């Protein structure tokens, strides 16, 4: 009897939990120009590093319809992405959105539409004047128009009154004030902070007191995080309260986070423990590209913070960045594409010697011209370095026709990216042709490797010399003297 009662209570508890669960965000709509393509919902939990997460995907049906569902309990900046084209918007918990999506057909076929102003044009057919996207869009358009009109005097200081003029114009239409619990108010308040950042750049204490001297860090608000990233960029390096000796001792000599944390706390603008830790995280990540600091020790410090922090959000931000670094380091090992027969092919099969990845499209004249040069280089250096060409044409049949026509002429692997547009975004592939050089262990040696037309022949000649040429080639004269 007791078991039965406990069983009934358990069922009732589960029913209550299910009954109070929030419904997911639903995004449906039509994109007739992209029938058969994958549409992706990207959400930004990490605005410090700008790293999005693929939340969910759907295949647009033959009639152009799609539906996406995602569970969230907070407002998030998001993007809809089809191929490499994107549109930005905000999702609010439990809301539903009905989008009609269109795009310039010529730009849609390019790998780099944003470079030419090509974005997905989305219209929410369910939107009203209370919708967050409607309000932010209206404000952003107005703010951008006013900022553009007064950009020259604000940037170059042609008038001392111009900042007050801009504020007055905006204040007549929008009454933004500090309200960390209100997403829209915070978005407007911190966006206006960009004007203060221009006017009071020589008074950092004023900016700190107005925008960051409080108990709230708005991790999921892009206006807040944009202002934060501007204000605290390289902050530890240039702060008059933090000596280079301290940074050198706590980072380079022996990674010591508690000592670094305490020393940084001497800065009056970093007394808040949560804010101080976030600034340290941001700056350590920035120091990874600074030759003055030991990158290996920085990774140790980040790992220490990740395991010891009492702020869950900071743990998430560091995990994202370390995962991104790991993915970059294992790019060759983890990348899988299709060969001309449609079989999955991992780049890691080429580990053992350097790999030169040539990224191309079939209608790119410069890409094909580079292949003619690679053909000569492959004949000379093919035993010492592996050349691989990766086709990123939107249409698979274009790749197949290209391989059929030129496959025997270009006798090195030619693979197809198979619609992995997030891979292109993650690697920063924006223009054609592009090149990545991997070392023999599979790590990225040069993300932007020398092109076959400019620099690659010299690079190969230096690193893989023909012993018969060393005595006569001026490239080796200095080395031979040593």
């Amino acid at each position: 009897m007791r078991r039965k009662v406990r069983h009934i209570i358990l069922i009732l508890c589960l029913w209550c939990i299910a009954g109070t669960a929030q419904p997911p965000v639903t995004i449906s709509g039509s994109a007739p120009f992209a029938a058969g393509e994958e549409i992706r919902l990207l959400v930004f939990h990490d605005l410090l590093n700008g790293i999005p997460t693929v939340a969910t995907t759907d295949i647009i049906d033959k009639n152009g319809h799609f539906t996406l569902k995602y569970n969230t309990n907070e407002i998030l900046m998001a993007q809809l992405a089809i191929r490499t084209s994107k549109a930005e918007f905000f999702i609010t918990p439990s809301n539903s959105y009905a989008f009609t999506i269109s795009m310039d057909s010529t730009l849609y076929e390019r790998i780099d539409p944003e470079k030419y102003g090509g974005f997905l044009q989305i219209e929410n057919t369910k939107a009203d004047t209370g919708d967050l996207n409607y309000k932010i869009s209206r404000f952003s358009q107005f703010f951008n128009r006013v900022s553009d009109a007064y950009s020259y005097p604000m940037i170059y200081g042609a008038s001392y009154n111009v900042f007050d003029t801009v504020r007055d114009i905006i204040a007549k239409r929008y009454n933004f004030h500090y309200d960390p619990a209100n997403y829209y108010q915070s978005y407007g308040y911190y966006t206006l902070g960009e004007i203060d950042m221009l006017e009071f750049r020589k008074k950092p204490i004023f900016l700190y007191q107005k925008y960051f001297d409080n108990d709230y860090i708005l991790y999921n608000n892009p206006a807040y995080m944009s202002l934060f990233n501007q204000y605290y960029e390289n902050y530890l390096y240039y702060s008059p309260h933090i000596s280079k000796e301290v940074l050198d001792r706590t980072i380079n000599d022996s990674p010591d986070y508690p000592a670094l944390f305490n020393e940084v706390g001497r800065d009056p603008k970093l007394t808040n423990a949560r804010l101080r830790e976030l600034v340290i995280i941001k700056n350590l990540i920035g120091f990874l590209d600074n030759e003055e600091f030991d990158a290996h020790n920085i990774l140790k410090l980040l790992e220490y913070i990740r395991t010891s922090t009492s702020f869950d959000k900071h743990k998430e931000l560091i995990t994202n960045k370390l995962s991104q670094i790991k993915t970059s380091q294992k790019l060759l090992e983890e990348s899988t594409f299709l060969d001309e027969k449609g079989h999955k092919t991992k780049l890691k099969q080429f580990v053992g010697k350097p790999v030169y990845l040539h990224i191309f499209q079939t209608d790119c004249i410069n890409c094909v011209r580079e292949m003619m040069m690679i053909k000569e280089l492959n004949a000379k250096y093919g035993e010492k370095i592996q050349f691989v060409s990766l086709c990123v044409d939107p249409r698979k049949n274009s790749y197949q026709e290209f391989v059929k026509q030129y496959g025997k002429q270009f006798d090195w692997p030619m693979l197809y990216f198979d619609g992995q547009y997030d891979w292109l975004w993650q690697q920063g592939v924006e223009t054609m042709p592009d090149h990545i050089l991997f070392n023999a262990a599979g790590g990225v040696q040069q993300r932007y490797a020398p092109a076959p037309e400019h620099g690659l022949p010299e690079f190969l000649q230096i690193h893989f010399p023909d012993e018969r040429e060393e005595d006569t080639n001026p490239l080796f004269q200095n080395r031979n003297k040593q």
Side-chain angles (χ1 to χ4, degrees):
M1 182 66 180
R2 288 181 180 177
R3 286 185 180 180
K4 187 174 181 181
V5 170
R6 285 199 298 268
H7 185 63
I8 293 172
I9 292 173
L10 178 61
I11 292 175
L12 289 173
C13 289
L14 292 174
W15 179 80
C16 290
I17 293 172
T20 58
Q22 285 186 326
V25 173
T26 301
I27 304 165
S28 59
S30 62
F33 68 96
E37 296 284 349
E38 181 183 66
I39 183 168
R40 309 181 312 281
L41 175 65
L42 311 178
V43 296
F44 287 83
H45 292 283
D46 182 353
L47 291 170
L48 180 78
N49 299 304
I51 300 175
T53 301
V54 180
T56 185
T57 66
D58 191 24
I59 301 298
I60 302 170
D61 69 22
K62 62 181 181 180
N63 297 314
H65 299 140
F66 66 88
T67 300
L68 301 163
K69 292 187 177 184
Y70 177 64
N71 287 296
T72 181
N73 58 5
E74 62 179 347
I75 298 172
L76 293 171
M77 188 176 82
Q79 291 177 338
L80 287 177
I82 306 174
R83 295 186 181 175
T84 53
S85 301
K86 299 183 177 76
E88 193 172 280
F89 69 111
F90 295 86
I91 56 175
T92 302
S94 304
N95 269 21
S96 62
Y97 303 89
F99 288 128
T100 299
I101 306 177
S102 60
M103 185 172 179
D104 182 297
S105 58
T106 302
L107 294 178
Y108 175 66
E109 294 295 332
R110 298 188 64 91
I111 205 70
D112 53 349
E114 290 184 21
K115 182 178 178 181
Y116 302 92
F119 299 90
L120 296 179
Q121 304 298 315
I122 62 174
E123 180 183 357
N124 186 8
T125 58
K126 289 186 177 181
D128 56 38
T129 56
D131 178 69
L132 179 64
N133 285 290
Y134 177 85
K135 293 194 294 183
I136 287 181
S137 177
R138 294 268 295 184
F139 163 66
S140 296
Q141 291 175 17
F142 181 75
F143 177 80
N144 291 335
R145 285 199 303 270
V146 175
S147 298
D148 290 344
Y150 291 89
S151 61
Y152 185 89
M154 282 196 297
I155 294 173
Y156 297 103
S159 171
Y160 291 106
N161 298 322
V162 65
F163 294 100
D164 289 334
T165 300
V166 171
R167 291 189 189 93
D168 289 342
I169 293 173
I170 296 173
K172 288 179 180 178
R173 183 173 297 191
Y174 296 97
N175 179 30
F176 290 118
H177 54 274
Y178 179 69
D179 184 357
N182 186 309
Y183 195 96
Y184 175 61
Q185 280 290 333
S186 295
Y187 185 92
Y189 180 79
Y190 283 96
T191 298
L192 294 179
E194 295 179 13
I195 298 173
D196 282 345
M197 193 73 79
L198 287 173
E199 183 177 9
F200 300 106
R201 51 196 158 198
K202 294 183 179 180
K203 297 181 180 179
I205 190 64
F206 167 80
L207 295 168
Y208 165 73
Q209 290 172 342
K210 183 173 181 178
Y211 295 105
F212 304 113
D213 187 16
N214 53 67
D215 295 327
Y216 298 93
I217 296 178
L218 308 182
Y219 297 100
N220 67 328
N221 194 304
Y224 177 97
M225 289 306 299
S226 175
L227 202 66
F228 171 88
N229 281 328
Q230 290 179 59
Y231 187 83
Y232 286 110
E233 180 73 23
N234 259 334
Y235 186 86
L236 301 188
Y237 194 83
Y238 293 109
S239 170
H241 304 280
I242 305 168
S243 70
K244 298 295 191 300
E245 184 276 330
V246 166
L247 296 180
D248 192 55
R249 173 167 49 83
T250 57
I251 297 176
N252 293 333
D253 291 347
S254 179
D256 187 343
Y257 178 67
L260 176 63
F261 184 82
N262 290 333
E263 291 287 353
V264 168
R266 297 178 184 275
D267 188 314
K269 295 186 285 297
L270 291 177
T271 56
N272 180 292
R274 183 192 293 264
L275 181 68
R276 188 192 321 171
E277 185 169 273
L278 186 62
V279 171
I280 291 174
I281 293 169
K282 172 179 172 54
N283 281 254
L284 286 176
I285 290 172
F287 289 163
L288 284 169
D289 295 323
N290 188 328
E291 293 181 355
E292 293 185 38
F293 297 100
D294 187 316
H296 184 66
N297 283 355
I298 290 173
L299 293 177
K300 284 184 177 180
L301 286 167
L302 289 172
E303 183 60 35
Y304 179 91
I305 300 171
R306 190 176 74 88
T307 57
S308 64
T309 183
S310 51
F311 306 116
D312 289 341
K313 190 64 181 183
H314 296 178
K315 184 182 299 185
E316 177 187 342
L317 298 175
I318 295 174
T319 299
N320 287 344
K321 189 61 184 181
L322 293 179
S323 176
Q324 185 187 56
I325 293 171
K326 181 180 178 181
T327 299
S328 176
Q329 291 173 339
K330 294 187 176 182
L331 179 59
L332 185 143
E333 181 180 341
E334 297 180 355
S335 297
T336 303
F337 305 111
L338 296 182
D339 64 16
E340 65 276 7
K341 295 181 180 179
H343 299 148
K344 290 185 177 181
T345 300
K346 291 183 175 293
L347 286 181
K348 71 176 182 180
Q349 68 175 295
F350 303 116
V351 169
K353 60 181 178 179
V355 175
Y356 184 86
L357 185 65
H358 172 252
I359 305 172
F360 76 101
Q361 284 186 298
T362 59
D363 61 352
C364 168
I365 297 175
N366 289 335
C367 297
V368 178
R369 183 167 61 244
E370 285 192 347
M371 287 181 172
M372 301 302 295
M373 299 174 185
I374 291 176
K375 181 178 181 180
E376 296 181 12
L377 296 172
N378 187 49
K380 186 173 183 178
Y381 299 101
E383 293 183 359
K384 300 177 180 178
I385 185 169
Q386 177 67 58
F387 292 96
V388 178
S389 287
L390 177 66
C391 178
V392 295
D393 265 46
R395 303 297 178 187
K396 188 176 179 180
N397 61 346
S398 298
Y399 156 76
Q400 293 170 329
E401 288 297 322
F402 186 88
V403 172
K404 183 178 180 181
Q405 185 173 356
Y406 298 103
K408 294 182 180 179
Q409 183 178 357
F410 301 142
D411 55 347
W412 59 88
M414 288 196 181
L415 307 178
Y416 183 61
F417 84 127
D418 196 28
Q420 297 184 67
Y421 289 101
D422 286 326
W423 186 93
L424 298 181
W425 180 84
Q426 290 165 2
Q427 311 317 320
V429 178
E430 297 177 346
T431 57
M432 296 292 111
D434 202 348
H435 323 87
I436 304 175
L437 178 67
F438 301 90
N439 59 36
V444 176
Q445 182 171 331
Q446 291 188 39
R447 166 56 191 90
Y448 298 101
E453 192 172 1
H454 303 290
L456 183 59
E458 293 80 7
F459 175 89
L460 295 174
Q461 197 170 22
I462 292 172
H463 289 80
F464 308 110
D466 185 331
E467 294 179 359
R468 295 169 298 179
E469 295 181 358
E470 289 195 29
D471 293 333
T472 59
N473 194 321
L475 289 171
F476 303 99
Q477 287 179 0
N478 292 334
R479 193 182 74 176
N480 290 337
K481 289 179 182 179
Q482 296 175 356

